[in-house]
Amino acid sequence: MGKYYIFQDQKRCIGCYACELHCKTKNNAPEGAKLCRIVPTGPQVVKGVPRMHFVFMPCFHCEKPWCVYACPTGAMTKRAKDGIVYVNQDLCVGCKNCITACPWGVPQWNSETGKVMKCDFCMDRIDQGLEPACVTGCTTGALKFVSPSEASQIKREKFAKDISPLKK
């Protein structure tokens, strides 16, 4: 069962891309490969003012990850202790089946190694008691590294505040 979740408070995100930068630097990702991604949407006019939204897209570390099932060598693996899906670089043959299988386009091609790389929640950092680089590097605190149940609670509380007649 997946133990971790990266929650994004979209109202706090300013689209600075610091999360992408910290991820790329930590993982030594080559040009073009983005293990997490900010996807801008908009502009949309809200109360007469043009607004942009920025959606953070890491790997979702699915309970039944299609990339793992599509991998013919077992390189794409789900870690039993916490559900993190990662690529065992020693087993990857660069067939790109995982890229085809993932509905969100998470696995990325590394042209320098001829293998796939993907978000693994910086599992080496997690194993040291740290948070993923994208969360640590978020300049506005929009990203939070939580459990799935904590993410659900945050979202419910936010929804309740948004519909409350007592809000300002």
Side-chain angles (χ1 to χ4, degrees):
M1 179 178 197
K3 192 173 172 183
Y4 304 113
Y5 185 85
I6 297 177
F7 177 84
Q8 179 198 22
D9 182 344
Q10 291 185 5
K11 287 186 176 177
R12 294 184 68 103
C13 182
I14 59 173
C16 70
Y17 298 88
C19 52
E20 286 187 10
L21 178 65
H22 283 267
C23 174
K24 282 186 78 77
T25 302
K26 187 270 175 201
N27 292 295
N28 199 25
E31 185 176 337
K34 294 182 177 182
L35 306 189
C36 68
R37 181 169 230 157
I38 288 288
V39 179
T41 62
Q44 179 181 19
V45 177
V46 178
K47 296 179 182 176
V49 178
R51 306 279 308 260
M52 292 291 294
H53 292 275
F54 302 95
V55 180
F56 179 72
M57 297 284 294
C59 176
F60 299 115
H61 300 270
C62 303
E63 286 301 311
K64 295 181 179 180
W66 294 339
C67 59
V68 170
Y69 296 121
C71 181
T73 65
M76 195 64 78
T77 305
K78 184 171 182 168
R79 198 159 81 160
K81 74 176 185 178
D82 53 20
I84 292 176
V85 178
Y86 68 98
V87 181
N88 180 334
Q89 292 293 313
D90 293 335
L91 298 177
C92 182
V93 295
C95 69
K96 306 177 192 83
N97 277 354
C98 56
I99 293 173
T100 302
C102 178
W104 296 278
V106 168
Q108 298 287 294
W109 181 245
N110 185 335
S111 58
E112 294 177 3
T113 63
K115 297 181 179 188
V116 167
M117 58 190 312
K118 67 171 285 300
C119 166
D120 63 6
F121 279 162
C122 298
M123 64 182 186
D124 58 324
R125 291 176 54 90
I126 291 171
D127 291 344
Q128 297 173 40
L130 303 170
E131 294 184 327
C134 59
V135 173
T136 301
C138 180
T139 58
T140 63
L143 298 180
K144 298 189 181 332
F145 191 57
V146 297
S147 70
S149 61
E150 288 172 308
S152 178
Q153 184 64 25
I154 292 168
K155 199 159 195 154
R156 285 181 179 178
E157 289 173 5
K158 179 184 172 313
F159 178 75
K161 288 176 185 172
D162 286 348
I163 65 168
S164 171
L166 301 177
K167 78 176 192 180
K168 293 179 182 179

